[in-house]
Structure formats: structure tokens, C-alpha cells
Amino acid sequence: MEEMEEELKCPVCGSFYREPIILPCSHNLCQACARNILVQTPESESPQSHRAAGSGVSDYDYLDLDKMSLYSEADSGYGSYGGFASAPTTPCQKSPNGVRVFPPAMPPPATHLSPALAPVPRNSCITCPQCHRSLILDDRGLRGFPKNRVLEGVIDRYQQSKAAALKCQLCEKAPKEATVMCEQCDVFYCDPCRLRCHPPRGPLAKHRLVPPAQGRVSRRLSPRKVSTCTDHELENHSMYCVQCKMPVCYQCLEEGKHSSHEVKALGAMWKLHKSQLSQALNGLSDRAKEAKEFLVQLRNMVQQIQENSVEFEACLVAQCDALIDALNRRKAQLLARVNKEHEHKLKVVRDQISHCTVKLRQTTGLMEYCLEVIKENDPSGFLQISDALIRRVHLTEDQWGKGTLTPRMTTDFDLSLDNSPLLQSIHQLDFVQVKASSPVPATPILQLEECCTHNNSATLSWKQPPLSTVPADGYILELDDGNGGQFREVYVGKETMCTVDGLHFNSTYNARVKAFNKTGVSPYSKTLVLQTSEVAWFAFDPGSAHSDIILSNDNLTVTCSSYDDRVVLGKTGFSKGIHYWELTVDRYDNHPDPAFGVARMDVMKDVMLGKDDKAWAITEGGITKGATIGVLLDLNRKNLTFFINDEQQGPIAFDNVEGLFFPAVSLNRNVQVTLHTGLPVPDFYSSRASIA
């Protein structure tokens, strides 16, 4: 019943209704509160002035003025009554319930009468504090409004059911428990308040004081006040006016304004309206039941949301931990490669230190021996060995020639971690909406007639289905690694054609594409299988060549007139498979020393190929004009082999060759060579590789 309490409180004072009256708008007010919010109107607006002017409006018609109520201006907190010259705009106040109320224009005159009997100011107007409808009172004043006896009874029963222990009604702050009740005053007192406010002397000495429990019973058993007619106060309601929808007495039917109206028995209409209210309550009860079930559903949703949140957080943590574990494993692999590079550099430098130390020891010994020989005074003995010593000194000096005192290894690590794709993927890591509010694009269709491969490049083309109505914001093209591995994104954009370069030769790639928009991504298209060229066709790259290199014959022939070594790279790099190409020496004079092999992209371009740790080359051994040098790069076995005129030069020249390599040559002194590509691997090597 606590939910009902707001229905039982006056919108003006905020307390339970005391002697409530019913306004024409069906809202209720305490009778005292109604008197407090009266506003006086001008004489010209009074009923008497209308009657004097011959308006022909009866007194009872003014009770229906609520149909032409005056409203506050845009509910701004001020009430204005147009044309009321004697009643200026009165600012409103707020009741404890938050409803705007209008104070009286003048203080009520001092009176000892009850609010119902005290006279009201002439030509008064009352405004409902809830709906702001206004009406001018007639000569009866507040007595013209019916009293709500039903509401009084409901409040009485509610207060009796709620008050477990009766409290004193006169305590100002914390009410104490009542000890007595005065039957005449109908007030509960504690001992201090009884001695102060209800002394046992004078007229109060005749009042009967009873215990609080007995007083509650006497209250409950007190006869209910009978509702009387507002126009004829001595008459009880006996009939019900159907047109005015209100109870009336028999005098209202004989001489009042209800004489010509349809009336029905009060008891019959009481039962009928009770039945109608019960039926209406049944519908409202169904809605209230549905609302309670809905609240239960919402509370269950709160619990389910909390459980799902915990489960989802655990899943998210597990997924992120899996990513961290994968990153740690990859970190360990990369560190192993760094350690391998570290050991390789140390081995090269230590070998060079050992070699240089031995040669330096030999050179120092020769120098000391020569100095001792110079000290000899025997000319004939000196001349017998001087020529041989001079030749040994010159030979030893030549051994310390160009490149001997140059480090074969740099201190810098030729490794650079490319973490930008991973960082981009981490930044793009986000949740995918399971349910989309709008459709995703249709699956793209690969146009097979426009898809092709050339050398180690692949061109793919696709389009949206002809009947597709959902636009796509872009497309995502994915290829695997050419070895049946996982797919990876190679293109994201709005174009419907893409060429992918840098693929492995003699490899089979799987390609697929999907479309996306703001809602999500479409399913993948059918997978297209692409085969790259079995052998590599390429030329020299002018962009990588030293400025002294001269290219001709569609960049297949190169020469250099400089006396210093100059490097040029091929246009295609290799990181997988077996590749073979040849170079023929077209011009070889003036004692050049060309070098042939492979190099990384950042190899030094102004030193002989192979002098740093970024190139592997053959520099001597039967290279003359007309010679054919073959280079066999086997990245499956990670080794490099050289051929001169179809004869292998010793065993494998270099092993542990791993990474991305470009064909390379270094030239000087007008030597000229021509590149031949698209060659198959020599038969003997293929058969040997198959046996192995």
C-alpha cells in the first residue's frame, strides 16, 4: 500500500488530505489549502456584474466555468488573468509535491470559524495546482464543492494500517510515542505535549482522555459521515444525475437545475460504477502484472549481462594472452636469428684476425731477417741472396695489397625488424558486431578472363554481382604464401584490379577477395589458383647501378670504363626456389677484374663485389673474353654455386645463404658482359638434387 501514499497527499501542503473537496476538474484539495490559494477577481468579472448586465447566466452556470479555464502562461510559474485590473500577476510557489500553487492576493481575515464556514473574499477565483484550470467561485464559496468522503475513509484506513505504534501528533521534530488520546479533540498526545497543550483545567477538564489503542478503536468504529448535497446542505444525496454525472438530492430534482435531467437510483448507479471500475481495474491489473513480469525480465537481464560480461572478459583475456604467447614465440625465433648473425660476424672477424696475425708474423720475421742481412759487410755473400730477398719483399708487399687490410665484416647488423604490419593489425584490433543493422555487400566475383601472371607478378580483377543492390566501400585481396600456408592481406582499397609483385618463381598461389562496408564484410569469393613462371626473366636494374655503369641492349648488357670497381644489380630478387642465369664476357682487356654473384639490396656500389658482408661472388679462375659464367642460387638448400663454360668451379662456393638476394656483377676497366635469363637449371644438378 505504500505505492498509494502519493494519491493520498494534497498537492499544496504535501500532507495527507484533511477534509478534501472535489474540484470540477476531478482533482482534490484540502479545504484549508483551497482557501489559501484563492485569488480575488475584479468586480467586472463577478457573477453579480454579469447578472446586472443582463447576461442571463445563473449562479449554477459559474460552476461550469472550468470548461473555459484560464491557464498559466506556458507554465512559466506565473499566473496571469487577462483583464483583471485589480489582480496583478501573482508569482507562484511550489508545494512539497513540486506542484505550482498561487498564493492569495490578500491575507484572509481573522476568523474563528472553520475553513468551510469562514467567508471567502468576494469575487474569488481558484486555480487547480495540478492541471491549472481556473474557475470563479459563486456566493457559496468553497461550500459549493462536494466533500470527498471516500478519500477521507481511505486515508483513515491507510494511516491506521501503517502506524504500528501511535505517535504524538504535536511533537515538532521526532514524534514520541503517544500515551493518551482526547476523544473530543481527536488528537494523540505524549505526556509532555499533553501537559503543555491539553492541561486538565478550564474547558479542557471536561474532555475525556483514553489510551491510544482504545482511541484507535473508537476512531475505526466512529460512524462515517454522510455525504450531503452541496446546494442543499441539509439534504442527503438520493439520486444520480446522468447528464451532470454527479449525485443529487430530491430538492435538486424539484427546484434545481437538474429538474429536467435524466436521473437514476443512487444505489443502482453505485453498483454499476463499482462494476465498471472493477472491470477497468482488471485491465489495469493485467497491465500491472505484465509490468511486474517485465521488471523481472529486466532484472534477469541485469544478472545475465553481468554473467556474460564476466565470460566475455575471460574470453578476451584468453585471446589476448594467446596473441602475447604467439608474439613471445616469434620473439624467441627472431632472437635466435640475431644470435646466429652475431656468431657469423664473430667467426668472420676472428678468422680474419687469425689470418692477418699469421701473415703479420711472417712479414715481421722477413723484415728482421732482411735487416740482419743488411748489416753484413761481405759484398759477395750479400749479392748472392739479395735478389731473392728483394723478390720476397715485393711479393710480401703485394700480398698486403688492396682489400687485405679492409674488414670483411661490418659491425652493423644487417637485420631490420619490420613490425609495422603487426602494429597496424594491433591498432585495428577491434570487436566485430555479430548482428548488423544493415546488410553487408554481396560476394565479389573474380573475372577469370582478366586474371593472369607474368614472371613473378600476378594481376587479379573482380567485380560486384550484376544484381547487387548493397554498395561496397572497398575490397580486401588475400593471397597465401605460395606453399599452401595461411592467407594474408595484399591489398585493401576501392579499386577492382590489383597487381601483386615480388612473388616466388615456380610457385602456386591461392587468391580470394571479399567486399566490406560500414556494416561488415561479405563472404569470400571463390579461390583462384595462380602459377608463377618456372624460370626468371629479368634484366639489370638501372636504378640500382653505380653512375659509372653503362647499360645497353634493353639493360641486358653492361660495361664500365672506370678503373675502380662499380656494382650493378638485377631487377628481380629471389628468396625461395632454385634459380640459374649466365653472363658472357663480351670484352676483356686492360687487365680487368670483374666479379659475378649475388648481393643484398644495400650492397656497397663502389667496391668489388664480395669485399663486404652483403655480397657473395667469384672473382678469378679462367674468366677471359668469350667466357660464360653460370650462377646457380639454390635457396631451398641455401647454397651458391658457380660455373665457367659449363664446368663447376670446385664444390659449393657458399652455404647458409638465406634471405632476399639479387643477381649482381662488379665491373671496371672497360670490361663488358651480357646477361642471359630464363634458363633451366642444369640437368646434372637437377638429377643430383632429386637423388639427394
Side-chain angles (χ1 to χ4, degrees):
M1 295 182 62
E2 293 182 358
E3 292 83 354
M4 183 180 64
E5 186 168 319
E6 291 300 322
E7 295 285 337
L8 310 180
K9 291 185 177 180
C10 174
V12 177
C13 64
S15 303
F16 289 108
Y17 288 104
R18 296 182 66 86
E19 298 184 354
I21 60 175
I22 306 174
L23 300 180
C25 59
S26 299
H27 292 127
N28 300 287
L29 285 177
C30 296
Q31 196 168 53
C33 295
R35 182 179 183 83
N36 289 337
I37 63 174
L38 291 177
V39 178
Q40 189 174 3
T41 61
E43 183 69 24
S44 60
E45 299 295 333
S46 66
Q48 291 81 359
S49 63
H50 281 279
R51 287 197 299 270
S55 61
V57 181
S58 68
D59 292 347
Y60 298 106
D61 294 334
Y62 285 92
L63 293 175
D64 297 331
L65 282 181
D66 63 287
K67 298 178 181 179
M68 299 181 293
S69 301
L70 303 175
Y71 293 86
S72 63
E73 296 179 354
D75 200 18
S76 61
Y78 290 88
S80 61
Y81 305 89
F84 295 174
S86 62
T89 300
T90 307
C92 78
Q93 298 175 346
K94 279 194 175 181
S95 73
N97 283 359
V99 181
R100 294 185 177 91
V101 297
F102 293 86
M106 60 183 68
T111 177
H112 297 287
L113 299 176
S114 67
L117 301 177
V120 300
R122 186 180 181 185
N123 305 330
S124 297
C125 173
I126 189 171
T127 300
C128 176
Q130 290 181 288
C131 65
H132 305 297
R133 299 176 68 179
S134 302
L135 112 109
I136 300 174
L137 275 64
D138 58 9
D139 293 338
R140 293 174 298 170
L142 296 178
R143 292 182 290 107
F145 298 113
K147 295 179 175 59
N148 196 338
R149 303 299 183 187
V150 175
L151 180 58
E152 280 186 304
V154 172
I155 293 174
D156 186 43
R157 291 196 299 273
Y158 177 78
Q159 288 179 323
Q160 291 177 8
S161 63
K162 187 177 180 181
L166 295 175
K167 302 293 183 180
C168 175
Q169 294 176 286
L170 297 182
C171 290
E172 294 182 357
K173 295 183 179 180
K176 299 179 181 178
E177 187 173 350
T179 56
V180 295
M181 173 193 172
C182 177
E183 289 185 338
Q184 286 72 27
C185 299
D186 195 18
V187 176
F188 290 93
Y189 298 95
C190 63
D191 289 336
C193 293
R194 177 180 60 82
L195 295 176
R196 185 178 69 255
C197 304
H198 201 285
R201 60 181 178 272
L204 298 178
K206 298 181 180 180
H207 289 192
R208 183 187 176 196
L209 301 178
V210 296
Q214 182 180 348
R216 175 189 287 183
V217 173
S218 63
R219 271 187 171 186
R220 188 180 299 115
L221 298 179
S222 60
R224 178 162 296 181
K225 301 176 183 178
V226 179
S227 177
T228 58
C229 179
T230 56
D231 296 332
H232 311 91
E233 296 181 356
L234 299 179
E235 299 293 336
N236 297 332
H237 291 138
S238 58
M239 301 296 289
Y240 181 82
C241 179
V242 177
Q243 183 175 347
C244 299
K245 296 182 179 181
M246 60 182 296
V248 295
C249 65
Y250 78 96
Q251 288 191 12
C252 293
L253 300 179
E254 292 181 355
E255 54 190 51
K257 66 177 182 178
H258 303 282
S259 57
S260 60
H261 294 174
E262 179 186 359
V263 295
K264 290 187 178 181
L266 188 66
M269 293 304 296
W270 173 57
K271 293 181 179 180
L272 176 62
H273 280 212
K274 270 195 171 184
S275 175
Q276 292 177 351
L277 181 59
S278 298
Q279 292 177 0
L281 282 176
N282 288 335
L284 186 60
S285 176
D286 293 339
R287 301 288 84 77
K289 183 179 179 181
E290 293 176 0
K292 290 180 179 179
E293 294 175 352
F294 180 66
L295 285 174
V296 172
Q297 179 183 355
L298 291 179
R299 293 188 179 97
N300 292 336
M301 287 180 62
V302 171
Q303 180 67 23
Q304 189 65 36
I305 288 173
Q306 292 176 345
E307 295 176 357
N308 291 344
S309 175
V310 173
E311 181 180 355
F312 187 78
E313 287 179 4
C315 181
L316 177 63
V317 170
Q319 289 177 321
C320 291
D321 289 343
L323 293 176
I324 294 173
D325 292 340
L327 185 60
N328 286 331
R329 289 193 298 270
R330 188 56 181 167
K331 173 185 174 182
Q333 295 173 359
L334 294 175
L335 287 175
R337 289 186 57 185
V338 172
N339 292 333
K340 184 178 179 181
E341 183 73 12
H342 167 251
E343 295 296 332
H344 173 66
K345 285 181 176 290
L346 289 180
K347 182 178 180 301
V348 172
V349 174
R350 286 168 180 168
D351 290 345
Q352 191 174 12
I353 290 174
S354 177
H355 177 71
C356 187
T357 301
V358 172
K359 186 177 288 188
L360 179 60
R361 186 183 299 113
Q362 294 173 353
T363 302
T364 304
L366 178 60
M367 290 173 58
E368 292 177 352
Y369 174 68
C370 290
L371 291 176
E372 292 298 327
V373 171
I374 292 175
K375 295 178 181 179
E376 289 295 330
N377 296 323
D378 184 6
S380 60
F382 177 81
L383 293 175
Q384 286 178 349
I385 62 173
S386 60
D387 289 336
L389 288 178
I390 291 173
R391 285 194 302 270
R392 286 184 61 189
V393 169
H394 284 303
L395 181 60
T396 303
E397 183 182 2
D398 290 340
Q399 291 178 354
W400 292 101
K402 183 190 299 184
T404 306
L405 299 179
T406 302
R408 296 178 185 175
M409 187 64 64
T410 62
T411 57
D412 297 331
F413 278 78
D414 186 29
L415 297 173
S416 178
L417 182 62
D418 183 13
N419 61 350
S420 55
L422 179 59
L423 290 177
Q424 183 179 3
S425 299
I426 292 175
H427 292 318
Q428 293 177 351
L429 191 64
D430 203 348
F431 299 106
V432 178
Q433 294 292 337
V434 178
K435 296 182 180 180
S437 57
S438 59
V440 299
T443 304
I445 300 175
L446 286 168
Q447 303 187 79
L448 302 181
E449 64 278 4
E450 297 185 15
C451 298
C452 61
T453 59
H454 174 71
N455 218 7
N456 64 335
S457 299
T459 300
L460 296 103
S461 177
W462 58 88
K463 65 178 181 180
Q464 283 289 94
L467 301 179
S468 175
T469 58
V470 180
D473 295 340
Y475 303 91
I476 301 174
L477 176 63
E478 296 182 357
L479 265 72
D480 65 359
D481 59 357
N483 196 27
Q486 293 184 349
F487 282 87
R488 67 186 189 280
E489 294 181 1
V490 296
Y491 171 77
V492 178
K494 297 182 179 180
E495 301 297 331
T496 57
M497 179 176 287
C498 177
T499 298
V500 183
D501 298 319
L503 302 177
H504 298 305
F505 287 92
N506 195 24
S507 299
T508 301
Y509 286 88
N510 295 307
R512 63 186 184 184
V513 66
K514 60 183 178 181
F516 66 88
N517 59 11
K518 294 181 179 179
T519 300
V521 296
S522 71
Y524 285 106
S525 66
K526 293 182 178 180
T527 302
L528 178 64
V529 180
L530 301 168
Q531 176 67 44
T532 56
S533 176
E534 293 184 6
V535 294
W537 296 85
F538 59 92
F540 288 112
D541 183 14
S544 67
H546 191 278
S547 58
D548 293 339
I549 295 291
I550 302 173
L551 295 92
S552 60
N553 188 26
D554 293 332
N555 297 331
L556 293 175
T557 301
V558 292
T559 184
C560 176
S561 59
S562 173
Y563 275 81
D564 296 321
D565 297 289
R566 300 294 184 248
V567 176
V568 60
L569 303 181
K571 206 163 190 176
T572 301
F574 305 106
S575 60
K576 176 185 175 184
I578 305 175
H579 308 280
Y580 179 73
W581 62 94
E582 293 180 348
L583 301 107
T584 57
V585 180
D586 302 330
R587 186 169 56 243
Y588 190 90
D589 51 22
N590 201 17
H591 304 290
D593 46 359
F596 308 89
V598 296
R600 300 191 188 276
M601 176 61 76
D602 56 348
V603 65
M604 297 176 63
K605 306 296 174 47
D606 54 358
V607 297
M608 178 183 287
L609 199 66
K611 291 296 184 180
D612 58 3
D613 60 346
K614 294 181 174 56
W616 295 258
I618 181 174
T619 59
E620 55 186 26
I623 299 177
T624 60
K625 180 178 180 180
T628 300
I629 298 89
V631 182
L632 179 61
L633 178 61
D634 187 351
L635 291 171
N636 295 339
R637 294 174 148 187
K638 302 178 182 179
N639 57 48
L640 180 64
T641 307
F642 297 104
F643 301 84
I644 296 180
N645 298 327
D646 295 332
E647 291 185 5
Q648 183 173 343
Q649 298 299 296
I652 295 173
F654 300 98
D655 57 4
N656 295 325
V657 179
E658 184 178 4
L660 178 63
F661 300 94
F662 293 83
V665 298
S666 64
L667 307 173
N668 66 353
R669 301 182 183 180
N670 209 32
V671 67
Q672 177 177 303
V673 298
T674 299
L675 175 66
H676 304 276
T677 62
L679 303 177
V681 178
D683 295 337
F684 76 90
Y685 188 84
S686 300
S687 60
R688 187 173 64 185
S690 62
I691 294 175

